[in-house]
Amino acid sequence: MKARIVDRAHLLRIVDQLRQDGYQVIAPVRGRGRDTYYDVVTDHNRDRIEIHLPNPQYPPKRYVFPHIERLFDVRKENGEVRIEPAYYGPKRALFGIRSCDLAGIWHLDRFYLGRDYRDPYYESRRQNLLLINVVCTDPERDIADDCFCVCTDTGPAARDHFDLQLMDLGDEFMVVAGSPAGEARLSDPIFRKCTAAHVEKRRAILTEVRKRFKTMTSWFAATVRYVSQGKILDRTWEEIGNRCLECGGCTYVCPACTCFTVTDRRVGPNEIERVRIWDSCALGGFTRMAGGHNPRKAVHDRRNRRFFRKLAHYFIQRELSMACVGCGRCAAVCHGDVGMPSVVEMIRRATAETDKLPPT
Ligand code: SF4
Ligand code: SF4
């Protein structure tokens, strides 16, 4: 990987260059209060881009997998039925994506493109997308109370799956290329050589930042084992289910959730469109069948499905990563306090209670 250094004052030149090259650039900005969000960069908001700010509650996942996506139109014209697929793949750059969300996109890549069937809709959005990752280095602004990427090995500095990675070293940034497309952007004269002292500074900053995480789920690996072996007691799932209000919030903010449903809607007198829409295992309709039967009617039956899907060895082997990247958003939005770190803790406590004492 090629590394370069750029002055802080020149950092947004990367955004300007991308826009000049025809990219639609998406970057994090601050709204009112604590709100932060990703937005399309324009001449008006370009100076509001912030590198250090709380990670937006909505992950940038929607730029590869939108909430609602048109798949095709069906139109009746002069007695003939025409079907037109609706692919959309703009030339886009996601500037300032955090390491957890980058891991989320890689998980989606594996799910939608990593096996025999490649999803053409996902692929059309993904193939023209440039990912510019930012390392979280400011504990006060970057790291929320619920962040735990250090436990899922997805941050604070991503090791791969980015085109460019930016890391704040103080007055200057280290810029690392992770792909040929990223490396090509380092030809700009604003970049200069990286020295051993820069590398040492990077290491020292990361060592310090890792100590500043407040949520540490050291039981994560054991939870993966217990979930994979089906050793979680029914009463633990019931306890989790009893606390879930079935709002779907945890799945809608999750950068690694992949589920969707498909439906048709009328858009004109002789025209319908087929769309896919994010779905959530928290919602009763997720498993309801056409005749009305629901094999997972009880909420805890759908909650255990969520954690099995995210943590079971079978899926980790298939996607090459857990479907949890440690962003902490589910913990932040859940009214019932059954986000991932709490569930891991509930499983730890329940498992400790059922431990057999050695015979005396
Ligand atoms: S956010 Fe909490 S309450 Fe809402 S569906 Fe998820 S687990 Fe249930
Ligand atoms: S399960 Fe929760 S912590 Fe894990 S990636 Fe999804 S929202 Fe983030």
Side-chain angles (χ1 to χ4, degrees):
M1 284 184 187
K2 196 181 253 185
R4 290 285 181 267
I5 298 295
V6 63
D7 287 335
R8 173 177 287 277
H10 290 145
L11 190 69
L12 289 189
R13 240 248 342 241
I14 299 173
V15 171
D16 299 337
Q17 283 291 350
L18 285 165
R19 292 181 67 207
Q20 274 169 27
D21 292 347
Y23 282 90
Q24 179 192 57
V25 182
I26 316 285
V29 292
R30 197 181 285 271
R32 273 185 284 178
R34 189 198 171 278
D35 287 352
T36 58
Y37 56 95
Y38 284 94
D39 205 355
V40 177
V41 178
T42 63
D43 292 344
H44 299 293
N45 67 8
R46 182 258 189 211
D47 293 334
R48 286 178 45 223
I49 296 173
E50 286 191 43
I51 295 294
H52 298 295
L53 76 186
N55 201 9
Q57 206 64 271
Y58 271 112
K61 170 174 99 171
R62 64 187 181 280
Y63 295 107
V64 286
F65 175 37
H67 301 94
I68 298 182
E69 179 170 32
R70 192 153 56 107
L71 300 180
F72 55 79
D73 281 335
V74 183
R75 203 175 308 124
K76 202 169 175 191
E77 274 174 2
N78 306 324
E80 276 193 31
V81 174
R82 296 170 64 93
I83 300 178
E84 270 177 39
Y87 298 114
Y88 180 64
K91 198 171 155 187
R92 241 183 206 158
L94 258 173
F95 180 88
I97 179 173
R98 305 294 178 90
S99 302
C100 55
D101 291 336
L102 187 73
I105 288 186
W106 191 67
H107 182 81
L108 263 59
D109 287 354
R110 289 288 312 168
F111 181 81
Y112 284 106
L113 306 175
R115 284 174 285 152
D116 292 345
Y117 175 73
R118 294 175 74 83
D119 184 297
Y121 297 97
Y122 182 90
E123 192 165 31
S124 68
R125 289 174 191 275
R126 186 64 181 91
Q127 65 195 0
N128 287 323
L129 183 71
L130 211 62
L131 294 168
I132 300 159
N133 168 231
V134 161
V135 177
C136 294
T137 51
D138 183 335
E140 305 306 327
R141 289 180 291 172
D142 297 342
I143 303 172
D145 289 353
D146 300 307
C147 292
F148 61 100
C149 61
V150 274
C151 305
T152 51
D153 192 28
T154 48
R159 296 203 186 97
D160 42 23
H161 310 310
F162 52 80
D163 294 292
L164 281 181
Q165 182 181 73
L166 317 175
M167 178 161 163
D168 192 345
L169 301 182
D171 295 334
E172 48 196 15
F173 276 74
M174 182 184 282
V175 184
V176 180
S179 71
E183 195 167 324
R185 308 216 71 86
L186 296 181
S187 57
D188 191 309
I190 58 169
F191 298 109
R192 59 180 187 278
K193 280 213 159 164
C194 176
T195 65
H198 289 118
V199 175
E200 192 43 50
K201 192 165 183 185
R202 174 188 168 101
R203 197 168 290 140
I205 292 172
L206 284 176
T207 303
E208 273 314 299
V209 169
R210 287 194 186 102
K211 293 179 195 159
R212 301 289 296 272
F213 282 78
K214 297 176 195 111
T215 300
M216 298 297 266
T217 55
S218 56
W219 195 254
F220 221 72
T223 304
V224 167
R225 186 157 45 86
Y226 281 104
V227 168
S228 305
Q229 293 170 349
K231 282 189 174 168
I232 315 290
L233 300 176
D234 282 351
R235 67 177 158 84
T236 307
W237 291 126
E238 280 163 20
E239 194 190 340
I240 292 165
N242 286 340
R243 284 162 58 167
C244 174
L245 306 177
E246 302 180 65
C247 68
C250 52
T251 46
Y252 291 129
V253 296
C254 181
C257 274
T258 50
C259 290
F260 61 84
T261 186
V262 173
T263 190
D264 293 343
R265 59 185 187 186
R266 183 171 290 279
V267 288
N270 291 313
E271 189 176 352
I272 59 143
E273 63 180 14
R274 178 157 296 179
V275 291
R276 69 172 163 197
I277 306 173
W278 287 3
D279 204 350
S280 165
C281 54
L283 308 178
F286 185 75
T287 45
R288 194 173 52 236
M289 296 173 171
H293 173 64
N294 194 338
R296 288 180 185 266
K297 193 165 193 297
V299 61
H300 67 263
D301 260 353
R302 278 174 279 116
R303 295 297 62 197
N304 68 13
R305 178 69 202 163
R306 170 173 170 82
F307 292 98
F308 186 75
R309 170 66 183 87
K310 290 204 167 291
L311 302 178
H313 186 245
Y314 166 78
F315 289 104
I316 296 173
Q317 232 178 358
R318 199 181 74 176
E319 324 290 7
L320 303 181
S321 64
M322 285 190 295
C324 174
V325 296
C327 73
R329 289 183 176 98
C330 56
V333 302
C334 181
H335 308 285
D337 190 20
V338 272
M340 183 61 85
S342 302
V343 166
V344 170
E345 175 58 20
M346 287 163 83
I347 290 172
R348 187 194 68 74
R349 269 192 278 114
T351 316
E353 278 167 24
T354 54
D355 269 352
K356 288 197 179 69
L357 293 172
T360 51

